[in-house]
Amino acid sequence: MSEKQEQVYPAFRLVAEFADGHRLTFDGFTWQQARDAMEEAQIEHGDITWSDGVTDGHYENGRYYTAVLPPSGDPFPDADPLGGGLEQQSLF
């Protein structure tokens, strides 16, 4: 019997490169928690030379994709799905 392994994705994931050349990711329930872990790694790896939020199949700029709010407003205009065109309606 094989076990199904589930992936757990924390709310925030940051990536940083350090003076010693290591590039590591840091997770947290909050952005600050991930940032604190990243800064703490400087003790072992030296100064942070570059950092950013992870963007991949699960994250957008360091935030788990389900935590990213959808854009406000409707980006698509109302249209007739049958292709008959839009008819101007009178307000009077």
Side-chain angles (χ1 to χ4, degrees):
M1 185 186 287
S2 66
E3 290 183 33
K4 183 179 177 183
Q5 196 173 35
E6 292 186 31
Q7 289 281 9
V8 176
Y9 297 100
F12 295 87
R13 181 168 286 168
L14 305 177
V15 60
E17 188 170 310
F18 295 88
D20 67 357
H22 282 86
R23 184 177 283 192
L24 306 171
T25 58
F26 301 91
D27 299 336
F29 291 112
T30 66
W31 182 89
Q32 189 60 49
Q33 196 177 45
R35 181 73 186 181
D36 290 345
M38 182 172 63
E39 289 176 356
E40 193 172 306
Q42 292 181 100
I43 296 168
E44 184 179 342
H45 298 286
D47 291 339
I48 296 170
T49 58
W50 171 86
S51 68
D52 202 358
V54 170
T55 298
D56 62 12
H58 303 287
Y59 289 88
E60 183 177 320
N61 197 23
R63 296 181 73 188
Y64 189 61
Y65 75 95
T66 59
V68 176
L69 297 174
S72 62
D74 188 3
F76 303 104
D78 290 333
D80 181 359
L82 301 176
L86 297 175
E87 292 183 19
Q88 193 172 18
Q89 295 180 357
S90 174
L91 298 175
F92 303 107

